[in-house]
Amino acid sequence: MTSGKILVAQGGGPTAVINQSLAGVVLEARRFRDCTRVYGAMHGVRGIIDENLVDLTRETSQNLEMVAATPSSALGSTRDKPDMAYCAEIFKVLRAHEIEQFYYIGGNDSSDTVRIVSEQAQQANYALRCIHIPKTIDNDLVGNDHTPGFPSAARFVAQAFAGANLDNAALPGVYVGVVMGRHAGFLTAAAALGKKFPDDGPHLIYLPERVFSLDQFLRDVKDVYARYGRCVVAVSEGIHDASGAAIATLLSQEVERDAHGNVQLSGTGALADLLCDEIKAKLGIKRVRGDTFGYLQRSFIGCVSDVDQREAREVGEKAVQFAMWGDRDGSVAIKRTGFYSVDYELQALQDVAGKTRVMEDEFISACGTDVTDAFRMYLRPLLGSGMPDAFRLRPAPVKKILKP
Amino acid sequence: MTSGKILVAQGGGPTAVINQSLAGVVLEARRFRDCTRVYGAMHGVRGIIDENLVDLTRETSQNLEMVAATPSSALGSTRDKPDMAYCAEIFKVLRAHEIEQFYYIGGNDSSDTVRIVSEQAQQANYALRCIHIPKTIDNDLVGNDHTPGFPSAARFVAQAFAGANLDNAALPGVYVGVVMGRHAGFLTAAAALGKKFPDDGPHLIYLPERVFSLDQFLRDVKDVYARYGRCVVAVSEGIHDASGAAIATLLSQEVERDAHGNVQLSGTGALADLLCDEIKAKLGIKRVRGDTFGYLQRSFIGCVSDVDQREAREVGEKAVQFAMWGDRDGSVAIKRTGFYSVDYELQALQDVAGKTRVMEDEFISACGTDVTDAFRMYLRPLLGSGMPDAFRLRPAPVKKILKP
């Protein structure tokens, strides 16, 4: 390095542990004597072209640790997707500030941003080391055992369904919980980890990896309700019919899209309400309730996996080590090496950018509405320590006198 | 006591700590040598008339402790509201089993049930000690400083808004979170405890204690958005117009009512969606998201106030002491005796049954969309220990080179 300046930014949807990765980059970079300044861009790549930069070298390590334990993106985020012209603006600013390393913490779309910036830098013959640091509650980055942010969101979803199941057992009826996940069902599938006893919910899980049929859904709910007198359902916001059309948008008149062309699915209770209305109308069940977990699941403060926190910190640290001691751009990936341990590799950017991992078939039961034990084994260690547990009274019926 | 048999049941909406009160009754009753059996009725008063009873004396204290720490009603709940005929059925069963004490853990409606049963018992000349044990996340029982269940739900709401605010700061826009509470705004007001820095959300809080005007709401949101570039709003599901009509039902074609005549407000995202649609249409703000917290807030496993757990246990214990050593029926009430400490009294049933406490004027700011410091002082100790905290990076802007 010559200038010794590096820049870090955060993109896409926030997570509970994305600031751990930020702290990992800043604190690890400070250990390299060549590194003189760690800049942060406010609101992702948007902050670069706006030249809205902050000097993270001036932060105390104490406050960085406190920020690391705080959910959501401390530098702010963006949904901007840079094209050629946007990248030219990025270069102008990076060059003016003599930035030599660019770290972008983000998911699918952000990895594609890093790939474009990296290619543009090479074409412009600008010596810029570009590293993508993984983050997404969707767990849909290829080449990763899992992605930071997913375990904490999964912990929230598992705990939410554990509670919803207890509530539903107390006041029986049908409960539908809608979980985030556009193409990948990992987060919705995490609902299964809220289940303890054989008759616990979620009794049915609907994933975007399988075609959704409203008729089959109603038959499934009817069967479970007949069996247990109640039914708890986990539904991915991304469920779609055979044509690929999202069930959530079947009702909507206007469809909102972001810069990446993604249709807005979260932030509305429409899908849960649609499914509940169908159950009430077609099955004649009176007590039907729908909740949409929405934004609670990705930034809830105080429901975080310690494993997730530790790994999110490490991907930030490893990113700096790959940049300082390596000779190529790339994306940090988590590899599982034991039950349970992980190590980190640097993937080529083109191997991850713009690609979407979905749930492997081995994780989905043959019936399509449950997960397998392989998935439970995969997810359990990620949820971390101190998972709350649910207990029941043991049956001890009193002999009836009046109605024997 | 002659038979030495007592009966306990749980009614109304579950809470995170209602099983603490159950364990309090069972474990305290076992310490009285006159008490030979503690029965539980499954699903509230419904379990009595169905003679669906369990013998809680056969439970281990270990398992009772584990169940106590598990959210929702371990005995099941009901929304049934007994009339004269229903009470005659209750007596038949209680008499057949020689029950001498009846404990009912519940809220507003349940306290009215206890009052009716108590009066019917007196009219029938049946020696039955009836004790109501308070429980409701709505915090709307008169004569109580607060009610068990409310502090844990308030902790959930405060943490949810702390996270939602961080998320909204990262990706600015308007966020509307709808919180439970039909007539009393306490739980919605708890959102204010998620706020740390002066520009944090929730920026606006709408309570059922004040008349809601859609026009004023839009002006409020517009003002905050102009000031901060974002806006986080907490809304009670019970907000209503000047005529008293619930805003949530303005859209609905069919209105669902329970046995107590209450309109269904929870379990649907309609109110949040209505408000978000209005903001998009009238204010032209693009990124508008609405979440309805729904059932997550009352039975979430792993987000419980330790103060709430302790007090919920104590109201159960005190109920038994009042019954064993006292000479009248009543409702256990929490009185605040210090900052922070409490003691318990036995209220007359007619003083609490069928009455609804709403937020005192001193807790609501003059503008009507915020809480006062008196409310913050009131609520903070109830949230318990270990509340997660949110930290920020401190400003250290880098001098602009290209756009000075």
Side-chain angles (χ1 to χ4, degrees):
Chain A
M1 294 181 95
T2 50
S3 77
K5 288 185 188 171
I6 74 171
L7 182 109
V8 60
Q10 298 170 307
T15 79
V17 298
I18 189 169
N19 291 332
Q20 290 283 359
S21 300
L22 175 67
V25 169
V26 178
L27 294 172
E28 183 68 9
R30 285 188 187 180
R31 297 175 54 203
F32 288 82
R33 64 163 66 178
D34 288 348
C35 177
T36 60
R37 282 285 185 283
V38 183
Y39 286 174
M42 300 302 293
H43 293 287
V45 285
R46 163 64 53 184
I48 304 179
I49 65 167
D50 289 345
E51 224 185 330
N52 190 1
L53 310 178
V54 294
D55 187 353
L56 297 171
T57 332
R58 294 193 212 173
E59 258 301 351
T60 64
S61 55
Q62 280 300 316
N63 199 47
L64 281 169
E65 290 294 350
M66 299 312 280
V67 169
T70 302
S72 190
S73 316
L75 288 173
S77 193
T78 181
R79 293 285 186 188
D80 282 5
K81 184 182 171 76
D83 57 13
M84 307 298 235
Y86 202 115
C87 282
E89 291 298 310
I90 290 176
F91 294 147
K92 253 195 246 173
V93 176
L94 295 180
R95 190 176 275 136
H97 287 272
E98 300 178 287
I99 302 295
E100 293 170 328
Q101 295 180 356
F102 169 47
Y103 299 88
Y104 204 22
I105 310 164
N108 244 314
D109 296 329
S110 300
S111 71
D112 205 37
T113 297
V114 178
R115 181 188 60 80
I116 296 174
V117 171
S118 172
E119 289 171 5
Q120 290 282 309
Q122 285 165 40
Q123 282 168 27
N125 213 20
Y126 181 88
L128 181 69
R129 178 64 70 236
C130 295
I131 306 284
H132 168 245
I133 299 171
K135 171 265 4 165
T136 168
I137 63 165
D138 293 334
N139 202 38
D140 62 352
L141 288 179
V142 300
N144 284 271
D145 178 77
H146 60 279
T147 54
F150 166 66
S152 294
R155 185 178 172 112
F156 181 90
V157 169
Q159 290 188 198
F161 272 93
N165 170 67
L166 291 165
D167 201 292
N168 181 262
L171 288 171
V174 177
Y175 179 84
V176 177
V178 173
V179 181
M180 276 185 173
R182 193 176 301 275
H183 303 295
F186 291 102
L187 193 57
T188 305
L193 278 284
K195 187 172 169 151
K196 176 169 173 174
F197 296 99
D199 59 333
D200 273 345
H203 306 98
L204 298 167
I205 300 175
Y206 296 91
L207 307 164
E209 283 80 0
R210 297 290 179 263
V211 170
F212 183 85
S213 149
L214 194 52
D215 290 340
Q216 184 59 48
F217 167 78
L218 291 171
R219 278 195 296 272
D220 295 344
V221 171
K222 191 181 174 187
D223 286 351
V224 170
Y225 193 81
R227 191 166 172 188
Y228 297 118
R230 65 190 192 93
C231 182
V232 176
V233 189
V235 175
S236 166
E237 65 179 7
I239 53 167
H240 53 80
D241 63 19
S243 77
I247 307 298
T249 59
L250 292 183
L251 272 187
S252 310
Q253 300 303 317
E254 289 177 47
V255 170
E256 183 183 333
R257 288 175 191 276
D258 68 11
H260 301 271
N262 299 322
V263 172
Q264 184 210 339
L265 296 178
S266 296
T268 158
L271 177 58
D273 288 352
L274 163 67
L275 296 176
C276 288
D277 288 346
E278 286 287 324
I279 294 167
K280 281 184 200 173
K282 305 277 172 63
L283 300 184
I285 299 171
K286 202 188 156 201
R287 193 167 189 279
V288 183
R289 302 291 185 256
D291 281 340
T292 304
F293 292 1
Y295 292 88
L296 297 186
Q297 59 204 316
R298 76 180 185 196
S299 295
F300 195 83
I301 196 166
C303 180
V304 183
S305 157
D306 52 355
V307 170
D308 195 19
Q309 285 186 307
R310 192 166 63 235
E311 293 176 351
R313 174 67 70 103
E314 283 193 294
V315 292
E317 293 183 9
K318 291 303 293 186
V320 172
Q321 295 178 7
F322 284 128
M324 295 288 186
W325 291 327
D327 57 358
R328 63 191 173 93
D329 294 354
S331 173
V332 180
I334 301 182
K335 304 288 178 181
R336 190 179 298 223
T337 58
F339 187 80
Y340 173 79
S341 72
V342 294
D343 200 356
Y344 304 90
E345 290 179 3
L346 193 67
Q347 284 195 93
L349 284 165
Q350 60 268 30
D351 288 348
V352 58
K355 294 190 167 70
T356 300
R357 175 190 180 190
V358 294
M359 278 184 81
E360 289 76 10
D361 284 341
E362 67 184 269
F363 286 162
I364 305 174
S365 69
C367 66
T369 56
D370 199 1
V371 300
T372 61
D373 283 346
F375 180 74
R376 290 187 186 89
M377 291 287 283
Y378 163 78
L379 181 55
R380 184 57 192 88
L382 308 185
L383 300 182
S385 60
M387 273 289 284
D389 201 353
F391 289 80
R392 287 184 183 184
L393 296 168
R394 295 172 182 126
V398 172
K399 197 163 181 288
K400 295 190 182 192
I401 296 172
L402 297 177
K403 302 178 180 178
Chain B
M1 292 180 96
T2 49
S3 78
K5 289 186 188 170
I6 74 171
L7 182 109
V8 60
Q10 298 170 308
T15 79
V17 298
I18 188 171
N19 291 332
Q20 290 284 359
S21 300
L22 175 67
V25 169
V26 178
L27 295 173
E28 183 68 9
R30 285 188 187 181
R31 297 175 54 204
F32 287 82
R33 64 163 66 179
D34 288 347
C35 178
T36 59
R37 282 284 185 284
V38 183
Y39 286 172
M42 300 302 293
H43 294 286
V45 284
R46 163 64 54 183
I48 304 180
I49 64 167
D50 289 345
E51 224 185 328
N52 190 2
L53 311 179
V54 294
D55 187 352
L56 296 170
T57 331
R58 295 195 211 170
E59 259 300 352
T60 64
S61 55
Q62 281 299 316
N63 199 48
L64 280 169
E65 289 294 349
M66 299 314 279
V67 169
T70 302
S72 190
S73 316
L75 288 173
S77 194
T78 182
R79 293 284 186 191
D80 282 5
K81 183 182 173 74
D83 56 12
M84 306 298 236
Y86 201 116
C87 283
E89 291 298 310
I90 289 177
F91 294 148
K92 253 195 247 172
V93 175
L94 295 179
R95 190 176 278 137
H97 288 271
E98 301 178 286
I99 302 295
E100 293 170 329
Q101 294 180 358
F102 170 47
Y103 299 87
Y104 205 22
I105 311 165
N108 244 314
D109 296 329
S110 300
S111 70
D112 205 36
T113 297
V114 177
R115 180 188 60 81
I116 296 173
V117 171
S118 172
E119 289 172 5
Q120 290 282 310
Q122 285 166 38
Q123 283 168 27
N125 212 19
Y126 181 90
L128 180 70
R129 177 63 70 237
C130 295
I131 306 283
H132 168 245
I133 300 171
K135 171 268 359 168
T136 169
I137 64 165
D138 293 334
N139 202 37
D140 61 353
L141 288 180
V142 300
N144 284 271
D145 179 77
H146 60 279
T147 55
F150 166 66
S152 294
R155 185 178 172 114
F156 182 91
V157 169
Q159 291 188 199
F161 272 93
N165 170 68
L166 291 164
D167 201 292
N168 181 262
L171 288 173
V174 177
Y175 178 84
V176 177
V178 174
V179 181
M180 276 185 174
R182 193 176 301 275
H183 303 294
F186 291 103
L187 193 56
T188 305
L193 277 285
K195 187 170 169 154
K196 176 170 174 173
F197 297 99
D199 59 333
D200 274 344
H203 307 98
L204 298 166
I205 299 175
Y206 294 91
L207 306 164
E209 282 81 359
R210 297 289 179 266
V211 170
F212 183 84
S213 148
L214 194 52
D215 289 339
Q216 185 59 49
F217 168 78
L218 291 171
R219 278 194 296 273
D220 294 343
V221 171
K222 191 180 174 187
D223 287 350
V224 171
Y225 193 81
R227 189 166 173 188
Y228 297 119
R230 66 190 191 93
C231 183
V232 176
V233 189
V235 175
S236 166
E237 64 178 9
I239 53 167
H240 53 82
D241 63 19
S243 77
I247 307 298
T249 59
L250 292 183
L251 272 186
S252 310
Q253 300 303 317
E254 290 176 45
V255 170
E256 184 183 332
R257 289 176 190 275
D258 68 11
H260 300 272
N262 298 322
V263 172
Q264 186 210 339
L265 295 177
S266 297
T268 159
L271 178 58
D273 289 353
L274 162 68
L275 296 175
C276 288
D277 288 346
E278 286 288 325
I279 294 168
K280 282 184 198 173
K282 305 276 173 61
L283 301 184
I285 299 171
K286 201 188 158 203
R287 192 167 189 281
V288 183
R289 303 290 185 257
D291 281 340
T292 305
F293 292 1
Y295 293 88
L296 298 186
Q297 61 204 317
R298 77 180 184 193
S299 294
F300 195 83
I301 195 166
C303 180
V304 182
S305 158
D306 52 355
V307 170
D308 195 18
Q309 286 188 306
R310 193 165 63 235
E311 293 175 353
R313 174 67 71 104
E314 283 193 292
V315 292
E317 292 183 10
K318 291 302 292 187
V320 172
Q321 294 177 7
F322 284 128
M324 296 288 185
W325 292 325
D327 57 358
R328 60 191 176 96
D329 294 354
S331 173
V332 181
I334 301 183
K335 303 290 176 180
R336 190 179 297 223
T337 58
F339 188 79
Y340 173 79
S341 71
V342 294
D343 200 355
Y344 305 90
E345 290 178 5
L346 192 68
Q347 283 194 94
L349 284 166
Q350 59 269 29
D351 289 347
V352 59
K355 294 192 167 68
T356 301
R357 176 189 179 189
V358 295
M359 278 183 80
E360 289 75 11
D361 283 341
E362 67 184 272
F363 286 162
I364 305 174
S365 70
C367 66
T369 56
D370 198 2
V371 301
T372 61
D373 283 346
F375 181 74
R376 291 186 185 89
M377 291 286 283
Y378 163 77
L379 181 55
R380 182 59 192 87
L382 308 186
L383 300 181
S385 59
M387 271 291 283
D389 201 355
F391 289 81
R392 287 183 182 184
L393 295 168
R394 294 172 183 124
V398 172
K399 198 163 181 287
K400 294 189 183 193
I401 296 173
L402 296 176
K403 301 177 180 178

